[in-house]
Amino acid sequence: MDEARRWLRAARRVAVLTGAGISAESGIPTFRGQGGLWRQYRPEDLATPEAFDADPKLVWEWYNWRRSLIAKAQPNPGHRALAQLEERVPEFCLITQNVDGLHERAGSRMVVRLHGDIWTLRCTHCGLSCKNEDPELGELPPRCACGGLQRPGVVWFGENLPAECWQTAEKASRAAEVFLVVGTSAVVMPAAGLAAVAKNAGARVIEVNADDTPLSGWVDASLRGPAGKILPELLAA
Ligand code: NAD
């Protein structure tokens, strides 16, 4: 912890990759941990274009459940610590796989959302995107003004990441002197590969996670515990 703190204090360029684990203490279930199941379904079986094609109403019912949980959630000390870090680092980039918007609500400004936004709906017919922040949508599946079926504006398993976001994330990872990886199982590619991009370019990589991950063996520091406790300790001035 002490060494990791020193690296962070000295760094002028910092990039952070967060995953579902940082929002776990806000009451939002991760995909792979406890509480990931909804009814009898695994998230990996619902968050796919194939699942949506087969049963859009079922996938939307799952999203309605997730939207209602996220609407009730508040940013936790982990989100807030990262927002404060941004204030003191000259070049900072927060890359998130989360779709819940809690980083922005905690005050983070430079946020790259690799996997989209749960409050955005996109028409599968005309491509129009719109915001809808009703915690639970009424008639499911929702429809666009053009009559087309709307889908959640998120990136599902097997889909490409938005190119511009990816380029920004890769550039920030390559430039970083310190790269923090927080609350991600590090198995969802290509996002998980950003830690290797940073390390190969010379960054110190610090992992914060409640459990071991495939990254734990080769990062420069692996800090075990809940992000809401570890991040405020790590970033204490
Ligand atoms: P994941 O569910 O695969 O893994 C969660 C990780 O967080 C695990 O490694 C777990 O050990 C760790 N963790 C759990 N509680 C923690 C805590 N309190 N502090 C620190 N670490 C903790 O999540 P992922 O790697 O982000 O990949 C899953 C995909 O699911 C992502 O693409 C993401 O878009 C999506 N997702 C997003 C949300 C959200 O927006 N909140 C929630 C669930 C899933």
Side-chain angles (χ1 to χ4, degrees), residues 1-2 4-5 8 180-181 206-211 216 219 221-227 230-231 233-234:
M1 171 68 89
D2 286 345
R5 222 185 250 143
L8 264 171
L180 265 174
V181 199
I206 305 168
E207 178 180 61
V208 176
N209 199 299
D211 272 315
S216 305
V219 294
S222 190
L223 306 175
R224 194 63 65 248
I230 301 281
L231 283 176
E233 282 176 26
L234 176 65

Side-chain angles (χ1 to χ4, degrees), residues 19-21 25 29-32 97-100 115 183-185 209-210 226-227:
E25 289 155 83
T30 63
F31 272 9
R32 290 177 182 78
Q97 300 168 85
N98 294 347
V99 296
D100 57 32
H115 292 165
T184 172
S185 57
N209 199 299

Side-chain angles (χ1 to χ4, degrees), residues 114-136:
L114 289 180
H115 292 165
D117 170 20
I118 200 159
W119 302 112
T120 298
L121 276 56
R122 192 170 75 242
C123 178
T124 55
H125 181 66
C126 72
L128 186 76
S129 284
C130 64
K131 275 268 193 193
N132 183 325
E133 297 190 350
D134 285 346
E136 292 195 41

